[in-house]
Amino acid sequence: MNQWPFYRGPDSKVGDVMPCYFDGKYRIYYLRFGVYGDRAYNEWSVRETEDFVHYSEDRRVGIYGGTGEIVPLDGKYHLFKEVEPNVIGHYIGDTPYSFEDTGLRLPSDDNWYVPWAWRDPKIFWVPEEQCWWMLVATNRKTDTGVCRHGCVGLCKSKDLFHWEYAVPLYSPLAYDGTYECPDLFQIGDWWYLVYSNANVNKLTHYVKGKTRYGPWQMPEDDTLDSFLFYAGRTASDGNRRIIAAWNPERTGQDLSMKIGLRDVDKTPMTQYEDFAPLGYAGDMVIHQLGQKPNGDLTIEPVPEIRNAYQQELPFCFRKLQGADWTVSDCGAAVQSPGVYSCGLAQELPDRCLIEATIHVEGHEAGLALAADGAFYGKGVYLRLRPKEGRITVVSGLRDRPYVGYCLPFATEQEKFVDPDKTGNYHIQILRSGELFTL
């Protein structure tokens, strides 16, 4: 089955993603979120791959609800997840597709940790301590009255059946939300602790340290991807590490308030989906992790996905307005002091890879995706702003005056970016339908 670079199951959406690597394959478990009648459900499903382009059929596991982890040990497969509100349970199977409940129930200790947040276990073996670690999404008990106590909890076990509570692995008292879907791993000399903040902007964060216990440092940019990439978790085959998460869906049905529509406008609400609230679940997104010399992490395309694009299209370009462009077979350039210059390339396939090198000497330059010749009200604008050291992503809907006045913010998404030593920005965009990654 070839469904890449993004994926959602049939008649369902992708919720929390739980990638694993064992028995020579990446096994991408995820919560299949669906609504049938008046009932919503999260069912565990799995897709298997060796190259992130070719996948097995989507296979249901028969486990419902609760983000967790699968651990192979001595010919058995151990599954841990939240089995009832704020209680973690344990299942065992002879295969990674079918499991029986062991009856183990592990609630919060109600000492270091609050009793109302205890979920998303992540389990791995720690050879130096000869025991298993379980990271838990939780909040720390405090007596200050300040609602900023999200943390990554820790339990330890010798046999996966008997667990002891330990002090929080990470507790910066920074966010009020539970630190969801925690993950811990090592690349080179650095350890990384990944978590997602349940309340503020729904971002996947990370910190780095020189030991598995920290002390933890916050990088200059401590987020992975954007707020459209939530609950990221990783897996490694020993040579590389991938991170998988879900891209939240937003539809016109989710947009419960009218956003300044004039009575004469009868366009359907789907015209304004870019401004709808972000809902739970959507499409699966997978990146590969890279590392800078200072230990900070980077998000990179999976090489096999990049290499799957075989047919190169010729570059076509025409000026729309502003200064005159110099156009060649491989690009276009313009000097545009005091005027907005733009042009339009050819229409691209629904699924494509766009690669560009952009050199900016001035205030702003960029690319527009799915725009038209009017450069108004349609598409998505990627704006490089060198003086600010960032790239912003803005919907073309903002240009419509009766929409723009209703939005009390200037940027929808942004990331810190720096050019290379020659002042060039190298951009790769993977697009499939209405989704793209940058």
Side-chain angles (χ1 to χ4, degrees):
M1 176 184 292
N2 297 339
Q3 290 184 302
W4 52 273
F6 314 112
Y7 175 77
R8 70 167 57 194
D11 301 321
S12 62
K13 305 176 188 178
V14 172
D16 289 351
V17 187
M18 301 157 283
C20 304
Y21 184 86
F22 52 79
D23 300 340
K25 296 179 181 179
Y26 283 97
R27 300 171 192 267
I28 314 299
Y29 291 88
Y30 73 95
L31 296 182
R32 177 199 293 253
F33 177 72
V35 178
Y36 290 92
D38 59 354
R39 178 176 175 266
Y41 73 94
N42 271 312
E43 181 182 6
W44 281 54
S45 289
V46 62
R47 304 169 71 219
E48 299 171 349
T49 184
E50 297 180 19
D51 59 11
F52 300 99
V53 174
H54 304 92
Y55 286 86
S56 66
E57 293 293 328
D58 197 315
R59 185 167 184 171
R60 299 187 179 192
V61 178
I63 298 291
Y64 288 85
T67 304
E69 177 81 352
I70 291 181
V71 178
L73 178 66
D74 299 333
K76 301 288 185 179
Y77 298 88
H78 298 255
L79 185 153
F80 292 82
K81 75 175 198 72
E82 184 184 31
V83 293
E84 56 188 86
N86 308 307
V87 176
I88 293 171
H90 178 199
Y91 297 74
I92 292 181
D94 293 325
T95 74
Y97 314 113
S98 179
F99 300 88
E100 297 291 335
D101 192 346
T102 67
L104 173 67
R105 296 295 182 263
L106 184 69
S108 159
D109 68 338
D110 201 17
N111 178 24
W112 282 311
Y113 307 109
V114 300
W116 44 262
W118 189 256
R119 59 183 181 271
D120 304 351
K122 175 74 175 184
I123 293 93
F124 48 88
W125 178 252
V126 178
E128 295 87 349
E129 299 184 6
Q130 286 295 292
C131 71
W132 297 91
W133 277 23
M134 177 192 292
L135 305 185
V136 183
T138 183
N139 290 64
R140 185 168 188 168
K141 289 194 75 171
T142 65
D143 56 7
T144 65
V146 178
C147 292
R148 289 185 176 271
H149 41 61
C151 74
V152 176
L154 177 62
C155 296
K156 300 182 180 182
S157 173
K158 294 291 186 180
D159 58 8
L160 294 177
F161 289 88
H162 303 89
W163 293 89
E164 296 180 355
Y165 301 94
V167 298
L169 183 63
Y170 184 56
S171 180
L173 303 178
Y175 301 120
D176 59 335
T178 300
Y179 286 15
E180 294 188 310
C181 299
D183 196 358
L184 180 69
F185 54 88
Q186 184 180 19
I187 300 178
D189 295 331
W190 289 94
W191 286 88
Y192 299 94
L193 180 62
V194 175
Y195 64 94
S196 295
N197 184 7
N199 286 11
V200 180
N201 286 336
K202 307 294 281 188
L203 289 163
T204 298
H205 296 265
Y206 80 96
V207 289
K208 63 181 184 178
K210 287 296 188 176
T211 77
R212 69 174 76 246
Y213 284 100
W216 301 109
Q217 307 173 27
M218 182 179 292
E220 181 178 357
D221 181 2
D222 73 321
T223 62
L224 297 171
D225 203 312
S226 71
F227 63 81
L228 298 180
F229 182 83
Y230 189 68
R233 268 194 167 172
T234 75
S236 175
D237 61 2
N239 297 310
R240 60 164 170 191
R241 186 166 292 272
I242 60 95
I243 184 168
W246 50 273
N247 169 269
E249 183 182 64
R250 45 186 174 183
T251 68
Q253 294 177 345
D254 297 324
L255 191 53
S256 57
M257 68 174 185
K258 291 186 177 181
I259 45 180
L261 293 180
R262 295 175 292 190
D263 291 339
V264 296
D265 291 315
K266 303 299 182 182
T267 51
M269 197 59 82
T270 54
Q271 295 287 322
Y272 305 97
E273 289 180 351
D274 282 352
F275 297 143
L278 302 176
Y280 170 68
D283 292 81
M284 185 185 301
V285 181
I286 298 177
H287 300 303
Q288 186 163 307
L289 289 177
Q291 188 183 52
K292 295 181 179 180
N294 68 352
D296 288 1
L297 292 176
T298 60
I299 291 290
E300 302 174 356
V302 176
E304 291 93 331
I305 295 178
R306 162 62 185 85
N307 296 334
Y309 295 90
Q310 296 291 321
Q311 181 181 358
E312 184 173 345
L313 298 179
F315 177 71
C316 300
F317 186 87
R318 61 185 175 91
K319 169 187 171 181
L320 291 178
Q321 75 165 30
D324 290 332
W325 292 77
T326 301
V327 181
S328 68
D329 291 339
C330 59
V334 66
Q335 293 184 0
S336 185
V339 64
Y340 185 87
S341 297
C342 60
L344 198 65
Q346 74 267 40
E347 186 173 345
L348 296 175
D350 181 71
R351 185 166 70 179
C352 63
L353 166 69
I354 302 168
E355 294 183 315
T357 298
I358 301 178
H359 186 85
V360 186
E361 294 181 0
H363 177 67
E364 178 180 297
L367 298 173
L369 303 180
D372 61 12
F375 263 61
Y376 173 82
K378 292 183 179 180
V380 175
Y381 293 80
L382 313 179
R383 295 170 174 167
L384 284 163
R385 307 175 71 92
K387 294 180 180 179
E388 300 171 5
R390 65 176 180 163
I391 185 170
T392 65
V393 180
V394 178
S395 170
L397 287 178
R398 182 178 292 277
D399 293 331
R400 298 186 180 185
Y402 52 89
V403 173
Y405 290 132
C406 298
L407 301 174
F409 49 86
T411 299
E412 294 159 36
Q413 297 183 69
E414 65 178 351
K415 291 293 287 185
F416 296 114
V417 293
D418 293 311
D420 64 16
K421 294 180 180 179
T422 64
N424 292 329
Y425 297 89
H426 303 279
I427 291 176
Q428 289 185 326
I429 299 169
L430 295 174
R431 178 194 172 187
S432 181
E434 295 182 350
L435 298 179
F436 73 90
T437 60
L438 170 64

